[in-house]
Amino acid sequence: MILEKVIDRVVIQSEYKDFVDKYIDQILTEFKGKIHSIYMCGSIPKGAARPFESDADFTVLCVNPNDIDYERLSVIKDRLLEEYPVVTKIDTIICSIDDVLSKPSEWGFWVKIICVCMYGQDIGEKVPSIIISPAFILDLNTETKNEVDHRRRLLSNANDHTMKTRLIKGYSKRLIRALYSLVLEDTGVWEDDMFKMKNAILNYCEIDSALVNYLYACYLDSNHVLVEEFLRIADEVYSYFEKALNTMAASKTSFD
């Protein structure tokens, strides 16, 4: 089964059109000649953004990511956030064309399936079709352990309440995405709607539903979540995920 693109057409609400156009224009002006293409994912290009609640997610492709100065990028972000308060946050990922083409199950998946091209030539069209299989799911999760460990360390050392709530929300989302990857062969599609992800996990995974519902609740509202309790449950969820991934790897090996 071939994995299809999450966003098949761009539908940007009127509240965000000027913001998106201005962000792209300023990135291209600031880094003239260094940008190959610009992509978006999430609620804004889907036309499902909520003013004063939704953030903006961009991915910028270039030949050499070192050409992009993050301090200059931050100035653009801060300026636009002040001008367009309907946007809560701007995230920008920088990656190389080579990464997308040489890592089809990582950056290739991100650009081809998750993102939609807003400017330039869509390099995702050069990424081979992605076949849903145990091999793909295993490749997709190559960096999951490192990412989870990193998020755990950040949360364990966080002192600021605002930072704690943001980290818990992001950590919850990352674990839900990891669990969802386990059921791709059952669903046949990549969801970016967390509610649909949660329901698919409950339908197809044997994990304790209370753990999944807890993560989803933390994703929705992490304001009053106790860090120690969250970390304990996050560890339990990741332990389940790791065992399921190892079982998948062992099964794949037996069939190779």
Side-chain angles (χ1 to χ4, degrees):
M1 186 182 300
I2 295 177
L3 198 56
E4 300 294 336
K5 205 169 185 67
V6 169
I7 303 172
D8 55 6
R9 66 190 184 98
V10 177
V11 185
I12 298 180
Q13 296 138 284
S14 58
E15 298 96 323
Y16 298 94
K17 284 183 178 178
D18 287 345
F19 159 74
V20 172
D21 289 342
K22 190 168 288 189
Y23 177 89
I24 292 173
D25 286 344
Q26 291 192 14
I27 290 291
L28 294 175
T29 300
E30 184 69 33
F31 304 104
K32 188 174 182 179
K34 298 176 180 178
I35 305 298
H36 173 273
S37 45
I38 300 175
Y39 304 77
M40 288 195 78
C41 65
S43 59
I44 291 180
K46 286 177 68 178
R50 297 179 179 179
F52 307 102
E53 292 183 26
S54 298
D55 55 11
D57 297 294
F58 293 92
T59 296
V60 175
L61 251 67
C62 48
V63 174
N64 183 8
N66 291 328
D67 287 338
I68 308 303
D69 186 318
Y70 279 86
E71 288 188 10
R72 288 157 64 191
L73 189 61
S74 293
V75 171
I76 294 174
K77 290 182 184 180
D78 292 343
R79 187 164 58 229
L80 290 179
L81 283 173
E82 185 173 345
E83 188 175 350
Y84 297 94
V86 291
V87 181
T88 60
K89 184 164 65 89
I90 302 172
D91 287 327
T92 304
I93 296 171
I94 311 294
C95 68
S96 71
I97 298 171
D98 182 62
D99 277 340
V100 173
L101 297 178
S102 65
K103 301 175 182 177
S105 295
E106 297 173 42
W107 287 111
F109 162 77
W110 177 257
V111 170
K112 185 179 184 69
I113 304 300
I114 306 297
C115 297
V116 60
C117 189
M118 305 298 295
Y119 164 83
Q121 181 186 8
D122 186 358
I123 202 73
E125 293 179 354
K126 295 186 178 181
V127 176
S129 296
I130 295 175
I131 308 298
I132 301 173
S133 66
F136 166 69
I137 295 169
L138 291 168
D139 284 346
L140 186 61
N141 285 292
T142 301
E143 293 298 320
T144 299
K145 179 171 173 37
N146 290 336
E147 291 174 12
V148 167
D149 287 346
H150 178 65
R151 290 174 186 272
R152 195 186 197 290
R153 283 194 300 273
L154 288 177
L155 182 55
S156 297
N157 297 321
N159 294 315
D160 178 75
H161 176 72
T162 301
M163 180 59 68
K164 286 180 182 178
T165 57
R166 183 179 298 173
L167 289 170
I168 288 172
K169 180 182 178 70
Y171 198 169
S172 301
K173 183 177 182 179
R174 186 64 186 89
L175 287 172
I176 291 172
R177 289 181 71 239
L179 289 174
Y180 182 78
S181 72
L182 297 176
V183 304
L184 267 180
E185 287 189 292
D186 298 296
T187 65
V189 297
W190 183 267
E191 291 286 358
D192 65 349
D193 183 300
M194 299 303 288
F195 179 73
K196 291 180 179 178
M197 274 192 176
K198 184 258 298 182
N199 286 342
I201 294 166
L202 294 177
N203 286 335
Y204 297 111
C205 273
E206 295 180 0
I207 189 172
D208 184 346
S209 61
L211 298 177
V212 180
N213 285 324
Y214 175 85
L215 284 182
Y216 183 67
C218 290
Y219 165 74
L220 293 178
D221 183 4
S222 54
N223 253 314
H224 305 291
V225 177
L226 298 176
V227 172
E228 294 78 8
E229 181 185 19
F230 176 82
L231 289 175
R232 177 180 60 79
I233 291 178
D235 288 347
E236 191 173 346
V237 169
Y238 184 75
S239 178
Y240 169 89
F241 168 78
E242 191 171 45
K243 288 177 182 175
L245 211 62
N246 289 338
T247 299
M248 185 181 294
S251 177
K252 174 184 174 295
T253 302
S254 68
F255 283 105
D256 286 346

